Structures are given as structure tokens and as C-alpha cells.
Amino acid sequence: MRLGAAAAGKAGGTPASASAKTGDDEGARASAEADGAADGKADQPTAVFSTLKTGTTGDDKADRDTAASAASKAGDAGDAGDAGDDEDAGDDEDAGTAETDAASGTADDGKAAAPSGDNKADQPTATGVGAADDDEAGQATAPADAMKSGAAGATGATGAGKAPEGEAKSGPRPASCESGADGDGKPKEDARLNDAVAASAAEAEAEDDSDSKAGSADQATQLIKAPKPAPADSVDQPTRLIKAPANPDSKSKSESESERTSQFIPLKKDDAPAPKPLKAPKPAAKPKATPPAPPKPAEAPPAESPAGPQAPLDLLAQLTNTPPPPETSVRTAVRRVKIWTPLVALLGIIFVVVQVMRPLPAPELAIVGKSSSVFQGGTPSLPWPTEGQAVVDVDGLGRVGSYGEMKRLPIGSVAKVMTSYIILRDHPLKKGANGPLIDVDQKAEDDFTNGVREKESVVEVHKGQKISEKEALQAVMLPSANNVARLLARWGAGTEEAFIKKMNDTAKELGMTNTTYTDASGLVESTVSTAEDQVKLGKKAMQDPVFREISKATEYHSTTASGRGSGVEYQKTQRNFNKLVPMYGVVGIKTGSTTKAGGNLLFAAEKKVGGSTQLIIGAVFGQHKSPIIVTATDYSKQLILTAGRALTTSTVVRKGDVVGHVDDGLGGTTPVVATKDLTAVGWPGLKVDLKLTAGGKTLPHTAKAGTQVGELTAGGGMGEVKVPVTLQKDLAEPTFGAKLTRVS
């Protein structure tokens, strides 16, 4: 560039004004550049290049404040030159001289500027000053002049206006700053570089405005502030700017987009005082029309910082994951099927295993067909007494008949049946055993003495004697000893009152709703009951073999009686007061008589019918015809005989008949048949119930045909009739389907 001549002259000791003699053409060009600066259209590419060129030599070591002052003075000189242009617009030579003086650092007031021969002027400071305010047209001249001065200092070292060949090789030179074909050294205008300079100037202006508002004093000093450290991966922006091609068409299309769009960021110093605003010189002539700027190239998107290393699983997910397809009803249904089908299958397998492995229910026998049979003929007529009440039942078959109103009445010594039943229930005896010994107390002896005097039924006992349980029961049931009944009550419950409570509680348990006990012997007339209730008790008591054994005995040998007295109560051998025993099949049970109760007899008789023994149980109460006990006994005998004659047999089931089946509990059944004829016992008009039971055994899950699995029973109690039943065909375990579909 030819501006280097002024710097060369300065370096060689020649005054700066001598550069005006280099020729009119240079002065004219300098004047033209000054005019362009006054119009706000200085060759910004040249200025930027000059600044960057100087800044990239690496030799600038001068104090930045001194350089900023020199650049400011150079700007003042430029202002003086502009003023001269205002006075004489046609004096190109004088304008060129003024520009040269300004470039050499000589001010109008005679003060010397900073030496430029050492190439240490701060070109960024000059650029910052020139770009302080783009809104004022005159300020564009200052950066142009400052850049020219910097360029002169840079090129003056060679003394010929050209950079040494080695220097050209040391740093890149943009094509737009090379000499033209005619050798005049005028830089070629580059639109992209112009845009970059304009953007840099606008940014500097915005920063200066903000600093000015904050009270900054020196904008030039702010502009030379050390730049902020750039990121490690960023590129030096000045380097990008000097790489910008002069002609975009001559560059390869593969050039990096970041290099074409890089912007220059001027350096500034936040704490520097803001510079004085530059006066904008009045334009000397009408500004030349400038061609429209080429379209600004599209900015490349900011380069993303390289992402850090990703975890292998995250990277694999990014490589393999694909966005889900859009939701549809079909896709939703398919997904639900895929989710629920395995669950349902698993639940199904569990259900099947549980159903198959569950314990099988116990098989049961169930009767099939008729469950009862009715005997043909009319109901038999029985010889009922003319007063009181009477009942005749066949144990297990039912009631043959009854007479009178079943209302409460005193029952006398029949109450001793409940006393004996409770003692045997609470203190059971084995057949043939006598049981524990009971101490005779003074109360038992006193009751004996008083009973003899009151003509009660008593047995001789004395304090200190011991009597067995069985002998005490015999004394109560056969000669009806009141004193021994009270002794058993005290022994069995501690007190008579406690034992009486037991008697009433037991009556309720047996369904004896019209019975009340007030003493253990029945002597007290407040002990009341009915024939019907006492028949219920007689059936229950006769189930105990010891009770049956004692009640059907005609006599027993007393161990407590002395035998010295003339009365029955002193006799060693005590006889049964029931005179029907052992005639007519009578096996008991108990007589009872008082003046108010009359004659009462609870009886039991056995009758063989067909292949079974039936038990006839009845009662005749409230007989007051004297002798009262004989009257009650006679009516009882007639009822026993008549009922026995009415009993008959009837075949209700034939051998081989299917009488029921085995139910496996899961819907499977296997029929069972009777092994022989079932002949039931009854009387005309009687309805006999049939029952099919397992006979107390557990039914098998599998068995062969012909295996006995139960019994068919007609009637109940002592008179029930039974026949075995067997499987008609093989009994098999439930099928798999039955196990699977079971619900219980």
C-alpha cells in the first residue's frame, strides 16, 4: 500500500510533511479517502485490514494508553484536515498534506504525536475510536485516518511501501487488501468484510453507549480493554476476518461457513474513561451514491459444544430406541392381549393345579327312593285307665297311643329315676362293677330314723358306714329309699340344692318342658311332671346298661341293714316295689305313690318281634283308686300286653334293591344295594322311617363292586332293624373334569 511512504519517511528521519511530494496522485487519493470518511463511507475493509495487520505482527509492545493518545491526536489532525476541506474543498494537495501530517502524528498545535517508526501503535485502539459512534457521519473519518497511520507505521519499516517478503509469508493477507492490477495499491471492496466491520462497529457503539450511560470517561480506553478469554474450542476472530476472501466467487464453495460469518469483536476496557465524542464534519460535497450492499449471507447455526461421553446404556438406547407408533384401538387391544394373556394363562395353570391337588371331599351315603314305610291296617285300641294320664311308646318306632291331658301333677318316687340317671351320668359304672364307696353321714342316719317314724320308704344306714355307689342306686331304685337318695345328692353335687339344680337343668336338656324338681327323692309334692315327660326320661335312662340291670332286678342284698328290726326297712334283702318285674317282659322302671300324687308307675317291657327285640315304654300317672299303687300296676300290665300283641313285621326292602348311592362330593354317584330283606317292626298305621348310614365307618374313594359300605336301618332305639348295603359297581375317584370344575 502506498500509505507506507509516510511512515517510511518518518522512520528515516524525514519530516512527515515531506510525504506530500510523492505525487499529486497520492494526495488526490488521500483527499478522496478523507472525503469518503467525511461522508461516513470510509473504506472500512482497508481500515480493518490495517488494524489487523498491525495487530498480528506480534511486535507491538508500546503502552496502550500512549497509543490511544496518539491515535486520538491523529484523529484531531484529521479533524483539522476536514476543517480545511470545509474552507477550500478544491485544495486536494493541502488536504493530502493534512492527512499525512495526521498520519505522522503531528498535530495542528505543534505537539508531536507518538513515534510511529517503531511499529508499536495500537491499531485496535484506533479502530475503537473510529467506531465509537456510527450515528455521527464525521466520526467515520477518524478510524480511517487512524488506520492509515497504523498502516503507514506497519509498512514504513520496509521503506518502500511494501511489506518484506518474509513478512508476507508470516501472516495471511486477505485478497481484498492486495494491490490492484494497475499497482495503485487501492484495496478492493469486499461486501462480506464490509458487513463484518459494520456489525463490529454497531456492537462497539452499543457497548460504548452502555458505558457512557454508566458514567464512563474514555471510550477509547474501554475499547482497548483486554478481551475476555475465548472458549478453548473457539477460533481467533481477527484471524477469521483476515481469512475472508476478497471475492466470494473466487473461493471454493467448501469453505467453512464459520469463517465466512465470523465477526470482529473490538477490545475494550470497562474501567477506562469514555472518550469525548467526535465532531462530525460538515459534508463538503454531496455524498456519492453507493451501490446496494449485497445480501447478507445467512448466519450459520451456532456450533453445538461437543457433548460429553455418554453411558453405554444411554448410547445403546439412542441407537436402538425408535419412537412408538401412533395409538389405535386395534394396537391398544393387541397390547392388552399381550399383557393379560400370560397373566391369565399363569392364573389358569395355578387354578388347575390347585383344583387337582385339593383334598377330595369325603364320600357320603344317600338314600334313594322311599325313605319310610307305612304298615297296613287300623290303629290298635289300648286299655286306657279311667283317670289320670297314660302314654305307651315303642322305643325307636314311636308312640302307640296316649290318654288324658298331659298336665303337671306330683309324681312321688318316680323322681328317683332322674336322681339315678344323673349319678350314673356323672359317675358312670362299668357293668358288674360296684363303684366308689360313699361315707354315710349323720343326715342320712337321721333321715332313716325320721322316715321309719313317718312311714316313709327308707333303708337302714348309720353314720360311719360306707356304701358303694351301685348299692346306693339299688336302694333308691328297688325299695325306693328316700334317705339314700338325699345321700347320693349330697355326694354327687356337694349339697342337695346344687343337685336339684342339676336335675332341672337335665330335664330341660331332654325336652321335659312340664317337669320341675324340688327334691331328690320326690317326696315333696312340689316335684311335678307328666307321663309324657317321664317316658322321655325313661327312654334315655334305659340306654345305660347299669341302669337297666338295676331297674329289672327283683331284689338286692343290703350291707348297711342290721336285720334286727321287724320292718321292711331293717331287712337285709330289699325287694323291688315294682311287682310286674320280671313278668310279661317287664324290665322296670320305677313306682311312686303319695296321698296327693296317687299311684304312679313308669314301666318298660321288652317284646321280641321277628328278628328284633322291641322296648315298650309307658307310664300311668294319677291313679287314686285304692289301692293306688296296685291300680297303677294293673293298668300298666294291660297296656304292655296289648301293645305287645299289636306289634308286627313288614318287609319294606327286598334283597338286591337299590336303596341309595355313594356321593363322591363332586357330582359322581355309585349305587348301593341291600344284601337281604329288611323287615321292619311296627303296628298297623305306623310309619317307619328308613335311614342309610355308613355304620360309623369312613367311606373309601375307590372300592370294588360288592364292598359293604353301610347299613339300611328301620326304626330307632332298641327296636331298630338293620341290613347291610354294598356297592353295585366299582367306586371310582372323581374325574379330572370334576376336580377342575369343583366349586367347594
Side-chain angles (χ1 to χ4, degrees):
M1 298 174 63
R2 297 183 182 275
L3 294 178
K10 183 70 177 176
T14 306
S17 61
S19 62
K21 296 179 182 182
T22 57
D24 295 337
D25 55 341
E26 291 183 3
R29 259 191 307 274
S31 178
E33 291 175 357
D35 294 340
D39 295 339
K41 299 185 184 297
D43 189 2
Q44 292 177 351
T46 305
V48 173
F49 172 74
S50 301
T51 302
L52 297 178
K53 178 61 181 174
T54 306
T56 56
T57 58
D59 298 331
D60 297 336
K61 303 296 183 177
D63 182 80
R64 294 192 178 193
D65 294 338
T66 304
S69 177
S72 177
K73 291 178 180 181
D76 293 341
D79 291 341
D82 293 337
D85 289 340
D86 292 338
E87 295 176 1
D88 190 1
D91 195 357
D92 296 337
E93 184 177 356
D94 293 338
T97 305
E99 290 174 357
T100 308
D101 293 340
S104 63
T106 305
D108 291 341
D109 57 0
K111 293 180 181 181
S116 60
D118 55 359
N119 282 337
K120 295 183 179 180
D122 192 346
Q123 288 85 5
T125 304
T127 304
V129 173
D133 189 359
D134 288 344
D135 293 338
E136 299 180 3
Q139 292 180 7
T141 309
D145 295 341
M147 291 177 186
K148 290 175 184 178
S149 176
T155 58
T158 62
K162 292 184 180 180
E165 184 178 358
E167 182 180 351
K169 294 180 181 180
S170 63
R173 298 285 300 275
S176 60
C177 295
E178 293 177 356
S179 300
D182 55 357
D184 56 0
K186 184 177 181 179
K188 296 180 181 179
E189 186 176 3
D190 185 75
R192 289 173 296 174
L193 195 56
N194 289 341
D195 293 338
V197 172
S200 175
E203 182 178 357
E205 177 186 1
E207 293 178 355
D208 292 341
D209 287 343
S210 63
D211 293 339
S212 176
K213 291 179 182 180
S216 300
D218 189 0
Q219 293 180 355
T221 307
Q222 291 177 349
L223 290 176
I224 63 174
K225 180 182 178 182
K228 297 180 180 179
D233 58 345
S234 63
V235 182
D236 187 14
Q237 291 181 353
T239 306
R240 289 181 179 178
L241 287 176
I242 65 175
K243 289 182 180 181
N247 186 3
D249 297 334
S250 64
K251 287 293 182 178
S252 173
K253 293 183 180 181
S254 62
E255 183 178 354
S256 171
E257 191 67 18
S258 62
E259 295 179 358
R260 293 199 301 271
T261 59
S262 299
Q263 297 180 359
F264 172 74
I265 299 177
L267 303 177
K268 67 175 182 177
K269 188 173 183 181
D270 291 340
D271 56 355
K276 296 180 179 180
L278 300 177
K279 281 186 177 182
K282 296 180 180 180
K286 186 177 182 180
K288 298 179 182 180
T290 57
K296 187 177 180 180
E299 295 183 359
E304 297 182 357
S305 59
Q310 294 182 339
L313 291 179
D314 294 341
L315 183 59
L316 179 62
Q318 293 181 4
L319 295 176
T320 58
N321 287 355
T322 57
E327 284 291 335
T328 63
S329 58
V330 175
R331 194 180 301 280
T332 301
V334 171
R335 184 175 64 253
R336 290 178 179 175
V337 169
K338 290 181 179 179
I339 293 173
W340 288 105
T341 297
L343 295 177
V344 172
L346 179 60
L347 291 176
I349 294 173
I350 295 174
F351 174 78
V352 170
V353 172
V354 170
Q355 288 290 86
V356 172
M357 299 301 294
R358 284 175 63 185
L360 295 175
E364 296 180 354
L365 278 172
I367 195 167
V368 175
K370 60 182 182 179
S371 59
S372 62
S373 179
V374 179
F375 285 78
Q376 301 298 321
T379 303
S381 178
L382 298 176
W384 301 111
T386 58
E387 61 176 336
Q389 52 189 249
V391 174
V392 177
D393 283 359
V394 176
D395 186 24
L397 296 179
R399 180 160 296 178
V400 180
S402 64
Y403 170 81
E405 183 182 358
M406 298 298 157
K407 61 182 181 180
R408 294 186 178 196
L409 48 79
I411 58 175
S413 293
V414 176
K416 294 181 176 69
V417 176
M418 177 65 80
T419 302
S420 300
Y421 170 74
I422 292 176
I423 291 297
L424 286 172
R425 182 194 69 186
D426 296 344
H427 306 276
L429 293 176
K430 293 182 179 180
K431 192 174 182 178
N434 293 324
L437 296 176
I438 301 171
D439 293 330
V440 177
D441 57 9
Q442 186 62 48
K443 181 70 167 60
E445 183 178 351
D446 294 344
D447 287 343
F448 166 70
T449 303
N450 295 331
V452 171
R453 187 169 53 248
E454 298 294 333
K455 298 197 182 296
E456 294 180 17
S457 299
V458 292
V459 172
E460 181 182 9
V461 292
H462 299 277
K463 181 182 178 181
Q465 293 180 328
K466 292 183 180 296
I467 185 173
S468 67
E469 177 185 350
K470 183 176 181 180
E471 184 179 345
L473 290 172
Q474 289 172 334
V476 170
M477 289 295 294
L478 300 181
S480 190
N482 291 337
N483 61 330
V484 178
R486 298 186 188 105
L487 176 63
L488 283 174
R490 292 190 296 272
W491 176 74
T495 63
E496 293 184 39
E497 291 76 11
F499 190 83
I500 291 170
K501 184 179 183 303
K502 280 188 176 183
M503 296 173 72
N504 288 310
D505 292 343
T506 304
K508 291 180 181 179
E509 293 174 1
L510 297 176
M512 302 168 64
T513 58
N514 294 319
T515 300
T516 300
Y517 294 99
T518 58
D519 71 318
S521 64
L523 182 64
V524 182
E525 293 180 354
S526 58
T527 297
V528 296
S529 186
T530 63
E532 185 177 44
D533 282 356
Q534 291 302 309
V535 168
K536 293 178 181 178
L537 176 60
K539 293 178 182 178
K540 191 69 175 176
M542 290 297 287
Q543 294 178 5
D544 190 303
V546 175
F547 183 89
R548 285 171 64 100
E549 178 186 357
I550 293 172
S551 65
K552 72 177 183 180
T554 58
E555 60 184 21
Y556 85 98
H557 185 75
S558 173
T559 62
T560 59
S562 62
R564 293 176 298 178
S566 58
V568 176
E569 59 273 10
Y570 292 98
Q571 295 177 2
K572 288 281 191 180
T573 302
Q574 299 288 335
R575 299 188 178 275
N576 192 342
F577 283 178
N578 184 2
K579 301 303 181 182
L580 293 178
V581 177
M583 300 179 296
Y584 319 114
V586 175
V587 291
I589 300 179
K590 185 70 182 73
T591 61
S593 61
T594 64
T595 301
K596 190 171 183 178
N600 302 288
L601 177 61
L602 177 63
F603 61 85
E606 294 179 349
K607 177 70 176 181
K608 288 188 173 294
V609 181
S612 66
T613 299
Q614 303 296 323
L615 181 64
I616 302 171
I617 296 178
V620 176
F621 285 179
Q623 303 300 310
H624 293 277
K625 184 179 179 180
S626 184
I628 56 176
I629 192 67
V630 174
T631 302
T633 302
D634 288 345
Y635 280 115
S636 297
K637 180 182 72 172
Q638 293 177 21
L639 290 174
I640 291 171
L641 295 175
T642 304
R645 288 192 295 266
L647 292 176
T648 185
T649 60
S650 175
T651 302
V652 296
V653 174
R654 299 290 181 181
K655 179 180 178 180
D657 290 348
V658 175
V659 296
H661 61 253
V662 177
D663 188 349
D664 60 10
L666 299 180
T669 58
T670 303
V672 295
V673 296
T675 58
K676 58 183 180 179
D677 294 345
L678 175 61
T679 302
V681 177
W683 54 90
L686 174 66
K687 181 181 178 181
V688 179
D689 293 332
L690 303 177
K691 295 180 293 184
L692 186 61
T693 63
K697 299 179 181 179
T698 302
L699 295 176
H701 290 288
T702 59
K704 296 294 185 180
T707 303
Q708 181 177 340
V709 292
E711 298 173 334
L712 181 64
T713 303
M718 293 180 58
E720 67 182 6
V721 181
K722 303 176 181 179
V723 294
V725 294
T726 58
L727 294 171
Q728 188 182 43
K729 60 181 182 179
D730 293 345
L731 177 63
E733 217 177 56
T735 63
F736 177 81
K739 293 179 181 178
L740 191 62
T741 57
R742 64 183 297 189
V743 294
S744 61

